[in-house]
Amino acid sequence: MIRQRLARTVVRLMRYRMVGDVPPSGILVGAPHTSNWDFITMLLVMWHGGAHPRVLVKKQLFKGPLGWVLKALGGIPLDRDNAAGVVRDLADEAKRGDGEPFRLILAAEGTRSRGEYWKSGFLRLSRETGLPITLAFFEPPTRTMGFGPTFHATDDVTADMDVVRAFYADKHGIKPKNATPPRLREEA
C-alpha cells in the first residue's frame, strides 16, 4: 500500500501517464533498457498497480549496502556466466506456485549499452512455465509508462519477436542511442 501510494505520487509529480494494467502474473520485459534509471521506472510501473515484482539484476551490484537495498526491492542476482541456470531455477519456482503471483521483470537487452542482440531467456522462461510475457515500457518523449501487449511464447521465435518489434518500434527509452534493436541471435 505504501509503495503504491509512493509510486502514484512520483508518477503524478513527474507528469507521466500510466497505460495498461499490471498483469496478474508473468514475465515482464522492460525495454528499451538504456539507463540506470530503468530499474526504478519499472518498479514505479509495477508499484503503481499495486504489484511487488522480482527483478533480474546483474550479480555484481549485490555487494555492500546496495545488495541489501536491491534484495529488499525484489532484486534477484543474475550470474551472466550461468544465465541458463538462473532461468531454470526461476522456471522451477514459477511452476511450484508458492501462493504469490509470479511476476518477474527483466531487461531482455541484458545491458544498458547498445548491443547486437537481446537475450532469449524471457521466451524460454515463458515456454517452460506457460506464463505469459507482457511488454513494459518507460517513454520520456511521450511522458508515458506502463504495459503493452501480453502474449504466450510459441515455438515460432520470429513471430514472437515480430510482436516485440512492433510494440517497441516507437519506444526510445531515456538514452535512445543505447537501445539495442529487438532481435535475437537465433534469428540471425
Side-chain angles (χ1 to χ4, degrees):
M1 190 66 119
I2 291 172
R3 289 179 179 182
Q4 186 175 30
R5 282 191 210 136
L6 173 66
R8 289 182 175 194
T9 300
V10 170
V11 169
R12 189 176 64 252
L13 290 172
M14 291 171 49
R15 296 188 326 268
Y16 270 70
R17 182 175 55 90
M18 289 294 296
V19 297
D21 296 315
V22 174
S25 66
I27 297 118
L28 295 102
V29 175
H33 182 36
T34 63
S35 156
N36 284 328
W37 287 102
D38 296 338
F39 175 79
I40 301 299
T41 58
M42 282 299 104
L43 285 179
L44 285 173
V45 167
M46 294 299 289
W47 291 354
H48 190 277
H52 302 284
R54 289 179 228 146
V55 184
L56 284 180
V57 180
K58 66 181 176 180
K59 75 174 186 176
Q60 291 83 349
L61 295 178
F62 283 83
K63 294 180 180 159
L66 182 58
W68 179 85
V69 171
L70 288 173
K71 285 182 182 174
L73 294 174
I76 298 171
L78 174 64
D79 179 358
R80 290 180 174 173
D81 295 330
N82 184 26
V86 173
V87 170
R88 192 172 36 258
D89 292 346
L90 289 168
D92 291 343
E93 183 181 338
K95 289 176 191 172
R96 274 195 313 272
D98 297 334
E100 292 239 350
F102 185 87
R103 294 185 187 104
L104 176 69
I105 297 175
L106 54 82
E109 291 165 272
T111 180
R112 295 176 316 275
S113 304
R114 186 174 178 88
E116 287 188 59
Y117 304 104
W118 279 24
K119 310 292 183 197
S120 59
F122 71 103
L123 291 170
R124 285 196 319 271
L125 191 54
S126 176
R127 280 193 300 266
E128 286 182 34
T129 62
L131 289 169
I133 296 166
T134 299
L135 305 179
F137 72 101
F138 174 75
E139 184 61 3
T142 61
R143 301 192 79 76
T144 56
M145 60 172 69
F147 305 98
T150 296
F151 66 98
H152 284 83
T154 68
D155 291 331
D156 188 343
V157 172
T158 300
D160 292 344
M161 288 305 293
D162 284 345
V163 172
V164 173
R165 280 187 279 274
F167 179 71
Y168 288 116
D170 64 347
K171 308 296 185 283
H172 303 94
I174 294 171
K175 296 181 180 178
K177 68 181 183 344
N178 290 351
T180 300
R183 65 177 173 248
L184 302 176
R185 186 179 310 273
E186 297 88 64
E187 293 181 295

